[in-house]
Amino acid sequence: DNPDRAVSWLLRAAHGAEALPSYAAARRFYRQAWDVARSSAAGNGGGPAAAARGAILAALGVARMSVIYNASEADSERIAHQGEELATREGDTENAAALATFRGLIILGSSRDRFPEGLALVEAGFERAQRAGLTAVARNISRGLAWAYLYDGQLPRALAIFESAVREMEGTD
């Protein structure tokens, strides 16, 4: 058995299925990669770097599939949260910010009562990326944040983010 190699191949299969597109298959492969990577990391007392990296990437895939393609797992929120904690422990600010954002977006769509909690997570992911100087990541997260503000009826805040992103992209061309 080589769990790190299995995770690597499962992630490749997930990327391939996502590109086809076959979102249900991609979701299953990401979930399998998550299960193998987490099991491997747990068996190694938190896991070596390869197991942790595989778990982070698998969690990111599960969360992304849930948010972007509406191909969710019943426990997508939990996986995103655990992936975010692992990324934070590993010093992976980029993926920690992305996972916080995806988790927030999963929560936003779960129930009206939890909308403020989800919005706070998306805002935190955005702020984390900005503080770390991850401009491209912050720009990507800003789209989700702007949509969250739009859904919340905060049109001026949503427009300000969209306009800022457009200005930034025009300046980098």
Side-chain angles (χ1 to χ4, degrees):
D1 258 359
N2 187 334
D4 293 339
R5 193 163 174 203
V7 168
S8 176
W9 280 103
L10 285 165
L11 290 172
R12 286 183 194 177
H15 290 294
E18 195 173 347
L20 284 175
S22 178
Y23 303 131
R27 176 187 47 79
R28 282 191 308 274
F29 289 133
Y30 282 124
R31 177 52 195 260
Q32 289 173 334
W34 167 258
D35 290 340
V36 171
R38 287 298 292 163
S39 175
S40 174
N44 289 312
R53 181 79 181 142
I56 292 165
L57 294 176
L60 196 57
V62 168
R64 187 178 63 253
M65 297 302 298
S66 296
V67 171
I68 296 176
Y69 302 118
N70 198 29
S72 63
E73 286 283 326
D75 55 355
S76 296
E77 179 188 341
R78 179 187 59 79
I79 291 170
H81 187 223
Q82 290 177 350
E84 177 191 353
E85 289 175 338
L86 185 56
T88 300
R89 259 194 319 272
E90 294 293 316
D92 185 351
T93 305
E94 180 176 345
N95 285 322
L99 283 159
T101 301
F102 281 134
R103 183 165 63 105
L105 292 169
I106 290 167
I107 292 170
L108 285 173
S110 69
S111 75
R112 172 178 263 180
D113 295 340
R114 294 189 68 201
F115 191 93
E117 176 189 355
L119 180 57
L121 284 167
V122 176
E123 289 172 331
F126 180 68
E127 291 167 9
R128 184 184 287 182
Q130 281 189 312
R131 274 194 314 273
L134 300 169
T135 305
V137 174
R139 186 181 319 123
N140 288 339
I141 291 172
S142 75
R143 292 187 313 228
L145 181 57
W147 281 111
Y149 286 149
L150 188 63
Y151 291 143
D152 197 32
Q154 298 183 49
L155 186 58
R157 289 181 89 178
L159 286 174
I161 290 173
F162 283 132
E163 289 169 352
S164 174
V166 168
R167 279 192 309 274
E168 186 178 317
M169 288 189 310
E170 287 174 343
T172 59
D173 288 345

